[in-house]
Amino acid sequence: MEVRQLRYFVAVAEQEHFGRAAEALHIVQSAVSKQVARLERELGLTLFDRSHRRARLTPDGQAFLAHARRALRGIDRAAAAAADIAAGDNGLLRIGSSIVFGPRVEAALAAVRDAHPGITLQVTSSASTTGQLAALVADDLDAAFVAAPPDTPGVRVHHLWDEPLLLAVPAAYARTAGDLATLADLPLARSAREDNPGVHDLITAACRAAGFTPRVGPTLTRVQDLLAGPVASGGCWTLLPAGVVSQNSTAVTLVQPDPPIHVPAALALPDRTRRASALSLLTAAQTSPASKGPSGQFAARAKSARSARSHSPQSTIVQSGDSQDGSDEESHEGLRDMSPG
């Protein structure tokens, strides 16, 4: 049974004439007659009494008409829903994130919710930029916030902003860590290169520009666990996006490197995406203002300190013992526990 057979049947029933039904459908009468006859054979029913000039419904036809109309209404509703999804007004938008730039990401998500109230946002976090890009290619994601993404066939990358990185060091290094060279003997904790090649190489280049190759330290997974353990105990250092600065500890200090190190943040979309909600996300992310929270305050203090030419780098303290809470997939708290590379 085909949808067009149901439509032709209902049209003939309403017009009580094959010719007028054909005119209403803008097709030839023979096509209508052929498809209705085929429908009757498939159902094993005689739907019309053709013994008169008018095509009158048989009792079987009258009983089937209500079901046909109900089926067509359902099909039309499904088609309308599909159109709304394609237009970005309804449906599920699957968003990945391998970056920690929480405030800006959250502002962009809020803007999409306001613009498309019928959309459900499903946000998943992963430490792996390459994993997020692979999910886009496999059609498991509709968009992904990524850091320094490598070129990936089938994916178009849209640069959003450059996020400053801060040095997270044991408190004993607070006065000297602004100069990367002073950290040469301390292992560096960061993500595996296969997960974040762009950021990994960017950090390696910064270290080499300072005159050393970084020593291999722990693999960076959860930021708070790393800070509370190896960094606080003096066993390693790491680099974190400024957006993770939130609380205080006496064991770990954040220092802005000199010269500054920035990571490009981007939104990756399938190469030929037509989803209006995904494009709205891009627009919102491109216009999202910089965070004015603790990280922004840190940057302002650091800039002031540099202009004053203090003998010790400006620093701020972060809590190293508390972990992020919240498991709601739209809360995005997990974004602040991801590695920059």
Side-chain angles (χ1 to χ4, degrees), residues 95-109:
I95 305 167
S97 182
S98 65
I99 60 178
V100 297
F101 315 127
R104 282 179 163 177
V105 171
E106 290 163 7
L109 296 176

Side-chain angles (χ1 to χ4, degrees), residues 50-323:
R50 296 172 173 82
S51 62
H52 303 279
R53 291 174 62 93
R54 299 170 67 181
R56 295 181 177 177
L57 287 169
T58 64
D60 289 343
Q62 290 176 341
F64 182 68
L65 179 60
H67 296 287
R69 283 173 169 162
R70 188 179 303 115
L72 289 174
R73 285 195 297 270
I75 290 169
D76 290 341
R77 284 194 297 269
D84 287 342
I85 292 171
D89 295 325
N90 286 293
L92 179 67
L93 186 65
R94 303 161 302 170
I95 305 167
S97 182
S98 65
I99 60 178
V100 297
F101 315 127
R104 282 179 163 177
V105 171
E106 290 163 7
L109 296 176
V112 172
R113 289 192 198 95
D114 291 341
H116 304 276
I119 282 287
T120 297
L121 301 182
Q122 182 184 73
V123 183
T124 57
S125 299
S126 168
S128 174
T129 291
T130 53
Q132 298 284 359
L133 296 174
L136 278 174
V137 173
D139 196 31
D140 292 328
L141 289 176
D142 301 305
F145 289 97
V146 289
D151 291 338
T152 304
V155 174
R156 180 169 296 182
V157 172
H158 304 267
H159 179 262
L160 299 177
W161 62 80
D162 292 321
E163 182 76 5
L165 295 183
L166 303 180
L167 301 164
V169 300
Y173 288 79
R175 290 185 174 275
T176 60
D179 179 3
L180 279 183
T182 63
L183 301 171
D185 294 331
L186 196 63
L188 168 62
R190 53 178 168 173
S191 297
R193 187 180 186 280
E194 56 265 27
D195 288 332
N196 295 285
V199 181
H200 191 282
D201 292 349
L202 184 152
I203 293 173
T204 297
C207 292
R208 288 177 176 169
F212 70 99
T213 297
R215 294 180 57 193
V216 178
T219 299
L220 177 54
T221 53
R222 285 184 59 85
V223 169
Q224 297 298 343
D225 292 344
L226 179 74
L227 297 180
V231 177
S233 64
C236 67
W237 62 285
T238 191
L239 281 150
L240 302 175
V244 304
V245 179
S246 59
Q247 300 177 13
N248 297 320
S249 168
T250 57
V252 177
T253 304
L254 290 178
V255 180
Q256 183 165 325
D258 187 14
I261 303 172
H262 292 84
V263 169
L267 183 67
L269 299 172
D271 196 30
R272 294 192 176 107
T273 186
R274 295 182 180 178
R275 295 207 57 184
S277 53
L279 297 176
S280 291
L281 179 63
L282 173 61
T283 300
Q286 288 174 329
T287 57
S288 177
S291 169
K292 295 182 180 179
S295 62
Q297 296 167 9
F298 173 86
R301 293 197 301 269
K303 180 177 181 180
S304 175
R306 286 198 305 272
S307 64
R309 303 314 251 168
S310 170
H311 292 294
S312 62
Q314 179 67 32
S315 64
T316 191
I317 307 298
V318 298
Q319 177 66 37
S320 65
D322 295 337
S323 62

